Amino acid sequence: MSRNAARLIVASSETSADLRYATQFSVSDPVIFLEQNGRRSLVLSDLEIDRGKREARVDEIVPLSDLNRKLRPSGPEPSFAESVFGFLALRRVKKALVPEDFPLGLAQNLAASGIALTPCEGLFYPERETKSAAELKLVKRAQQITDAGMTRGLEVLRSSIIGPAARLLWAGKTLTSEILRAEIDSAILRAGGLPANTIVAGGNQACDPHERGSGPLKAHSLIILDIFPRDAKSGYFGDLTRTVVRGRASDAQRQLWQTVLDGQKLALQKMKPGVPGAPLHDEIKDLFTQRGYPTELRDGRWSGFFHGTGHGLGLDLHEIPRFSRTTFQPGQVLTVEPGLYYYGLGGVRHEDVVTITATGVRLLSTHPKPLEL
């Protein structure tokens, strides 16, 4: 189907970055968005009409109540699916391009009513892959919110007391992943962000990269803080990871930490337009292997560097491009986050956000990288 075909989104902006991108409007309940002949229309409930008129970047706001009265002047109100079909019928839409995550039940209902939907392959709005100057400012703002959470997390760790059995004590209590996460998330909220599944994982827990962490935190142990909130105002995500030790790092911990940092530096030095990501990812993995950190299965558990070097960042936390599936081009925004994980020693991950420039990369996150606190 032609990219000039009618485009249909039925979703909330909380679940559809495409809707947020197209309208720059935040709405928690599903709405109807139609782009037809270059004109963008948004069907909103009466609850959202006034705010939509102020904030939504569309050509037309259609009140759902007016639409329903037109579709059914008397009798029970149409169902939402009937409203969607009725709106498309009034606009003489027979076929439309939809995002690949379009609701299946609604798609089947529309197909039964004679409207052909074609799911989009790849990005619904391809221009989302590269960020405008205005979008880069929004990503930078999201990173500032993320920095506020990281700053608070490191403050709490620095002020904690090393107690018996290497347990960390803070505010008269054992410092746990849950307590530290709450402090980080509170700082994010105060800075204007929405925290989402912040990771505070120490020791062996950090060897599972998506383990959120639980229980007491220990001194002299590697602790991963991975923070990825959304800016409540713009909807753009930030992302930042630091790995620290409260107390003294062992030689083995220090070597692991430095090796991951060297891998990240290698990526930052070589990322520029025209460079493919996959060979660079392999080069980082090879560096780690040469330093004595192979990626392999040990007792049924993956160890080493067994995730991607990075991912696109924007209105979705993980969006196109993927580091290993792209050739870098100006305007892309990616995380750069190599890691190493060895059960019994711990995990290390360093993560920053960059945008690709004409000659290399520009860091959008500049938070310090301390090892010992």
Side-chain angles (χ1 to χ4, degrees):
M1 181 178 288
S2 169
R3 287 279 182 180
N4 295 321
R7 294 169 178 266
L8 176 67
I9 302 174
V10 181
S12 74
S13 59
E14 292 184 358
T15 60
S16 172
D18 290 316
L19 179 69
R20 187 70 178 260
Y21 183 82
T23 66
Q24 298 184 36
F25 184 60
S26 176
V27 60
S28 58
D29 293 318
V31 299
I32 307 167
F33 169 82
L34 178 67
E35 184 175 350
Q36 185 181 28
N37 299 322
R39 183 175 174 83
R40 297 184 176 191
S41 302
L42 191 60
V43 181
L44 297 177
S45 71
D46 291 351
L47 186 67
E48 303 289 359
I49 286 292
D50 289 341
R51 193 169 63 87
K53 289 179 178 178
R54 291 194 311 269
E55 299 177 8
R57 301 294 181 89
V58 294
D59 301 296
E60 176 189 25
I61 298 289
V62 177
L64 180 62
S65 57
D66 288 356
L67 171 64
N68 286 342
R69 280 193 293 269
K70 187 176 294 185
L71 296 175
R72 189 173 294 169
S74 61
E77 184 177 276
S79 68
F80 187 64
E82 290 171 332
S83 298
V84 175
F85 170 71
F87 180 65
L88 296 178
L90 288 171
R91 297 301 169 98
R92 300 180 181 179
V93 174
K94 295 294 185 180
K95 56 185 179 179
L97 190 68
V98 298
E100 61 181 2
D101 59 354
F102 192 86
L104 176 60
L106 180 57
Q108 291 174 330
N109 287 335
L110 292 177
S113 300
I115 296 178
L117 302 181
T118 301
C120 181
E121 295 183 6
L123 283 172
F124 194 61
Y125 288 105
E127 55 268 35
R128 278 184 58 198
E129 182 172 350
T130 56
K131 273 51 176 180
S132 66
E135 286 182 285
L136 290 175
K137 289 181 180 179
L138 296 177
V139 175
K140 182 68 174 177
R141 163 64 184 162
Q143 281 301 127
Q144 291 169 347
I145 291 171
T146 310
D147 281 350
M150 185 66 72
T151 296
R152 180 56 181 162
L154 299 185
E155 283 176 351
V156 171
L157 281 171
R158 281 193 182 94
S159 63
S160 65
I161 297 170
I162 300 175
R167 283 202 174 194
L168 296 179
L169 306 174
W170 182 74
K173 298 179 181 179
T174 297
L175 181 61
T176 64
S177 292
E178 292 85 352
I179 290 173
L180 185 53
R181 182 161 43 245
E183 289 296 316
I184 292 169
D185 289 353
S186 295
I188 288 168
L189 287 167
R190 287 192 295 270
L194 300 173
N197 299 311
T198 299
I199 293 172
V200 179
N204 287 329
Q205 289 184 3
C207 295
D208 180 346
H210 282 172
E211 167 63 52
R212 294 189 70 204
S214 62
L217 293 168
K218 294 293 188 74
H220 320 304
S221 178
L222 292 163
I223 301 171
I224 290 179
L225 307 180
D226 190 347
I227 306 173
F228 36 95
R230 169 178 269 174
D231 183 340
K233 184 176 181 180
S234 72
Y236 281 80
F237 278 90
D239 206 350
L240 184 69
T241 304
R242 294 293 182 260
T243 304
V244 297
V245 171
R246 173 66 181 104
R248 296 296 300 274
S250 68
D251 290 342
Q253 291 169 339
R254 189 178 299 277
Q255 183 175 338
L256 188 70
W257 189 93
Q258 184 62 49
T259 299
V260 176
L261 184 60
D262 291 343
Q264 191 196 42
K265 287 179 178 178
L266 174 64
L268 295 174
Q269 289 168 357
K270 295 200 171 184
M271 292 172 70
K272 62 181 180 179
V275 172
L280 182 52
H281 170 83
D282 292 340
E283 190 173 347
I284 295 167
K285 186 177 287 188
D286 289 343
L287 170 67
F288 291 165
T289 300
Q290 293 165 11
R291 297 278 186 91
Y293 300 107
T295 298
E296 59 189 6
L297 278 171
R298 293 184 180 180
D299 300 323
R301 178 191 299 273
W302 276 107
S303 60
F305 181 28
F306 51 89
H307 59 70
T309 298
H311 56 83
L313 184 74
L315 285 169
D316 279 318
L317 177 60
H318 298 92
E319 65 180 37
I320 292 175
R322 303 294 292 189
F323 192 100
S324 293
R325 297 179 184 176
T326 192
T327 296
F328 302 121
Q329 57 180 303
Q332 289 177 327
V333 171
L334 299 104
T335 67
V336 184
E337 50 178 309
L340 285 171
Y341 313 89
Y342 292 96
Y343 202 79
L345 176 58
V348 173
R349 186 165 63 255
H350 301 302
E351 179 184 25
D352 289 285
V353 176
V354 304
T355 182
I356 307 297
T357 69
T359 58
V361 299
R362 176 164 63 90
L363 280 166
L364 299 180
S365 54
T366 56
H367 202 282
K369 291 187 178 75
L371 170 56
E372 293 179 333
L373 302 175

